[in-house]
Amino acid sequence: MNDLISDRNPLVIAAEINTIKYQTRKVLLASAIEIGRRLKEAKELLPHGEWGKWLVESCSYSKKTAEKLLRIFDAYGTQEPPNLNFTQAYILLGVPEEERAQFMAEIDVEGLSTRELQKAVKERSQALQERDQALQEKTELRQALSEQESQITQLTTERNHLKTKAEQLSKSQGEQETKAVNLEKKLESLKKSTSYEGLQKINKNLIAAQHKTNANQIAFLYESLDKTFKQLVWELSSFADKDKDTYEVYKSKVLDFLTKGLKETI
């Protein structure tokens, strides 16, 4: 008996303690998982609005504690409980399920304190957020570059179109100027030709003939007017002795007619 006692040493004792800790840890987490399983079952059976009251009266749990246990069950209830205590298992809920095993393999979870594990999970989340933000910024930058390239292409096309149009207008203007010069030369040549001089002479003769015709017309009208006026005066004079009043009336009308006609036409 004394030999057995003498075989015990600090290393053996430490091993026993760690074994008990490991077993206790597994029991605590397994117990939490099983409690969460039963809480979920009860929640599904209870009428709406009775959940909180039932927790306090039947289990002495707050809703916050119950929600933690439910989350533990949802995360670990379908697998072999990991070698974690309840707090570690709950902290690791901050890591997506599909990435949790890899994360646990990359760090020494068992060797970390609660604070160190919380820090590791937080740093991982921040790193993922920064990565996602960087990817988002990269995507936005690519989109902006794509839009810029599209605008450059569009502006280049418009510039080439305007350049082509300007060249066409310049060519058309040159052709019009050449055409105008040629027409000017033809006109000068026509003016110098005999036929042009003949046309000018004919035109002058036509104008002179027109003037002469107008003069003859005026002379004819004047002679007719003179003859008519003389006949009117003679008729009025012969009528003066016969009807003095009528004579005066028509004499006045004739004078008014002549005065008005002279004012309007001459």
Side-chain angles (χ1 to χ4, degrees), residues 10-209:
L11 291 177
V12 173
I13 295 172
E16 291 175 353
I17 291 173
N18 288 329
T19 300
I20 295 171
K21 283 172 59 180
Y22 173 76
Q23 292 173 346
T24 302
R25 178 183 296 174
K26 294 197 67 174
V27 169
L28 287 175
L29 181 57
S31 298
I33 293 172
E34 292 304 319
I35 291 173
R37 187 192 308 276
R38 286 157 178 78
L39 286 174
K40 184 174 183 179
E41 181 182 5
K43 188 175 183 180
E44 293 174 352
L45 294 174
L46 287 168
H48 179 71
E50 295 293 324
W51 170 243
K53 180 180 178 182
W54 180 84
L55 284 173
V56 174
E57 294 179 353
S58 302
C59 304
S60 299
Y61 280 160
S62 65
K63 281 188 176 182
K64 184 176 181 180
T65 299
E67 290 301 323
K68 286 184 178 181
L69 292 167
L70 287 170
R71 290 188 65 191
I72 288 292
F73 167 70
D74 290 337
Y76 304 105
T78 58
Q79 62 188 33
E80 180 69 20
N83 186 25
L84 302 170
N85 60 37
F86 177 84
T87 302
Q88 289 173 327
Y90 187 76
I91 292 173
L92 288 171
L93 293 180
V95 180
E97 182 179 359
E98 63 274 11
E99 301 175 11
R100 194 175 298 142
Q102 181 179 354
F103 178 74
M104 291 173 62
E106 292 175 353
I107 64 173
D108 182 15
V109 177
E110 296 182 19
L112 296 178
S113 65
T114 299
R115 182 174 297 179
E116 290 172 338
L117 182 58
Q118 287 176 331
K119 182 180 179 182
V121 172
K122 183 178 180 181
E123 289 177 349
R124 176 191 175 279
S125 298
Q126 290 178 345
L128 290 177
Q129 289 178 358
E130 291 174 357
R131 182 200 65 183
D132 293 342
Q133 183 177 357
L135 290 175
Q136 178 66 23
E137 291 176 353
K138 183 178 180 181
T139 301
E140 292 175 354
L141 179 59
R142 284 182 176 177
Q143 183 177 357
L145 289 174
S146 177
E147 292 176 354
Q148 188 177 25
E149 290 177 356
S150 178
Q151 291 178 354
I152 291 174
T153 301
Q154 182 179 357
L155 291 174
T156 301
T157 301
E158 292 178 358
R159 182 203 63 185
N160 293 338
H161 176 71
L162 291 174
K163 184 178 179 180
T164 301
K165 191 172 183 180
E167 291 174 351
Q168 292 175 348
L169 289 174
S170 178
K171 181 179 179 181
S172 176
Q173 182 179 3
E175 292 175 351
Q176 294 297 327
E177 290 176 354
T178 301
K179 187 175 181 180
V181 170
N182 292 335
L183 288 175
E184 185 68 24
K185 290 180 179 179
K186 288 182 179 180
L187 180 60
E188 291 297 327
S189 176
L190 181 61
K191 288 181 179 180
K192 293 178 181 179
S193 65
T194 305
S195 58
Y196 177 78
E197 293 177 354
L199 288 174
Q200 289 287 82
K201 186 175 181 180
I202 291 172
N203 188 45
K204 289 181 180 180
N205 292 336
L206 287 174
I207 293 173

